[in-house]
Amino acid sequence: MSSPSIPAAAVPRAEQDDTSRQAPQRDAFFDNAKYLAIVLVAVGHAWEPLRDGSRTVSALYMLVYAFHMPAFIVVAGYHSRSFDGGPERVKRLITGVVLPYIVFETAYTLFTRWTDGVPDRPITLLEPLYLTWFLAALFVWRLTTPLWKLVRWPVPVALVVAMLATVSPSLGEDLDVQRVLQFLPYFVLGLVLRPEHFRMVRRRRMRMLAVPVFAVASAVAYWAVPRVTSGWLYHRDSAQELSAPAWYGPAVTLVLFGCSLLLVACFLAWVPGRRTWFTALGAATLYGYLLHGFVAQVSKYWGWYDQDWLYRPLGGIAVTLVAAVVMTALCTPPVRRVFRWAVEPRTAWAFRR
């Protein structure tokens, strides 16, 4: 995604399973978690142009990228537990994932022909562009859910798959397969989690432990900025493509999985469980995710980052606040009404009852 989260109703329709029929009540905790995670996605993209001028921004960028998408994917996996390949679930997969993927893959291709100055960029559905990789990955992960339910040790097997992907540069770019496979363990972990696991990380002791953990992680990220490439955090390249020995791939996969899960747990520990002013926005995070990329592309094309003051501390704070406000606005009901046709299309007419 860079240059690139109980009741099923806690996620957009594209990330829901049919448990919503038995549990219509929303869970504020998951709505809050999804909203906060998607805001971090926007902030991470907003920080990207500022990284070269600030080691601090680069460190925060690496810290956020270590857990924001893993958190989102774990929750997506958790809400995919009831997917069994039945007709109704396949319909929802098509209308909530496949069709938005086609719409936004086409839209981003046409839009970036202008912003990137590539007028002949082809429209292809096999090579996800920019943010659309997540929809392609979610489609593949959902389809394989019944398989992971049958495997005796699903998470270890998924980790092995991810490790093998990091040493396989020949996989190509179809459906952004490297990301699909390298992020797979987080989705599979979500499939095997239970409500008690989320209650466990929300205990007061975990909230207290999260503070020093994030402090240490921030210090490690600051130390790592000149020493470690952030490419590992994108999970889109093999070790060889990152100019590293092949054995680095499996090793880094295991280390990142452990570190990311620790940070995800700490992040969730501080997510409020009560209803807040942003709880309702958590149901529309897919809108914010898919639409904010257009703002990010325009900001670079129109030279919004050409101002010198943006590369000072106050500029970084301003960029952060603007990114959070923009993402929040994109998750609001008016935006949902305007773009519902693209993100949550109504296609009952296309299927047999």
Side-chain angles (χ1 to χ4, degrees):
M1 182 174 59
S2 170
S3 57
S5 323
I6 306 188
V11 291
R13 186 168 60 179
E15 298 173 33
Q16 291 179 14
D17 59 26
D18 286 352
T19 57
S20 59
R21 295 181 178 179
Q22 292 76 34
Q25 296 298 318
R26 304 192 67 84
D27 188 293
F29 170 74
F30 278 93
D31 277 348
N32 294 338
K34 285 171 55 58
Y35 168 78
L36 295 174
I38 207 65
V39 166
L40 290 176
V41 170
V43 169
H45 283 159
W47 282 344
E48 191 170 327
L50 307 179
R51 294 173 60 199
D52 291 340
S54 173
R55 183 172 177 177
T56 299
V57 172
S58 296
L60 292 173
Y61 177 90
M62 293 180 69
L63 177 66
V64 166
Y65 265 77
F67 74 89
H68 71 343
M69 284 310 296
F72 213 88
I73 294 169
V74 166
V75 175
Y78 180 81
H79 289 99
S80 297
R81 292 173 300 155
S82 294
F83 186 89
D84 58 4
E88 290 302 319
R89 293 182 175 90
V90 171
K91 289 179 185 177
R92 297 180 69 172
L93 185 64
I94 293 173
T95 58
V97 178
V98 176
L99 293 183
Y101 172 76
I102 294 173
V103 171
F104 281 91
E105 175 68 15
T106 303
Y108 271 116
T109 300
L110 297 176
F111 194 72
T112 55
R113 284 180 179 180
W114 167 54
T115 58
D116 291 347
V118 186
D120 58 346
R121 174 169 285 165
I123 296 176
T124 171
L125 299 180
L126 292 179
E127 297 181 10
L129 182 65
Y130 200 33
L131 303 172
T132 57
W133 72 267
F134 179 71
L135 292 178
L138 187 59
F139 173 73
V140 175
W141 296 333
R142 274 282 171 77
L143 286 181
T144 62
T145 294
L147 170 64
W148 297 111
K149 292 180 180 179
L150 296 175
V151 176
R152 186 180 296 273
W153 301 290
V155 176
V157 171
L159 272 172
V160 170
V161 172
M163 293 163 66
L164 291 175
T166 63
V167 297
S168 305
S170 61
L171 285 176
E173 299 181 357
D174 289 351
L175 294 183
D176 215 342
V177 66
Q178 280 288 355
R179 272 183 172 142
V180 172
L181 299 180
Q182 291 190 37
F183 274 118
L184 176 64
Y186 301 99
F187 182 83
V188 174
L189 176 65
L191 291 175
V192 302
L193 290 178
R194 296 293 179 265
E196 55 267 26
H197 296 125
F198 292 98
R199 289 195 294 268
M200 186 182 305
V201 301
R202 296 167 62 186
R203 295 174 179 173
R204 185 175 184 275
R205 178 179 298 180
M206 280 298 300
R207 289 198 297 271
M208 296 300 101
L209 288 175
V211 176
V213 169
F214 266 113
V216 172
S218 299
V220 171
Y222 190 85
W223 169 87
V225 168
R227 299 174 175 86
V228 179
T229 175
S230 59
W232 292 105
L233 300 174
Y234 306 147
H235 298 277
R236 66 184 180 190
D237 298 302
S238 64
Q240 295 92 322
E241 291 169 315
L242 292 172
S243 302
W247 66 268
Y248 271 40
V252 172
T253 297
L254 290 176
V255 171
L256 278 181
F257 186 71
C259 293
S260 295
L261 289 189
L262 178 61
L263 292 175
V264 168
C266 292
F267 166 72
L268 294 176
W270 277 98
V271 171
R274 66 187 184 282
R275 290 195 62 82
T276 67
W277 64 267
F278 56 79
T279 299
L281 302 177
T285 51
L286 193 61
Y287 286 81
Y289 176 80
L290 292 174
L291 294 173
H292 87 279
F294 294 105
V295 180
Q297 288 290 315
V298 165
S299 69
K300 298 173 185 177
Y301 180 78
W302 284 345
W304 294 357
Y305 286 91
D306 293 344
Q307 306 298 322
D308 292 338
W309 68 274
L310 291 178
Y311 297 86
R312 300 168 188 154
L314 286 179
I317 294 174
V319 168
T320 302
L321 293 176
V322 170
V325 169
V326 169
M327 179 59 79
T328 299
L330 293 176
C331 295
T332 56
V335 174
R336 294 178 68 177
R337 286 193 291 270
V338 172
F339 292 99
R340 188 181 300 276
W341 64 272
V343 181
E344 296 180 286
R346 307 296 186 184
T347 56
W349 56 269
F351 299 101
R352 292 184 295 178
R353 293 183 182 277

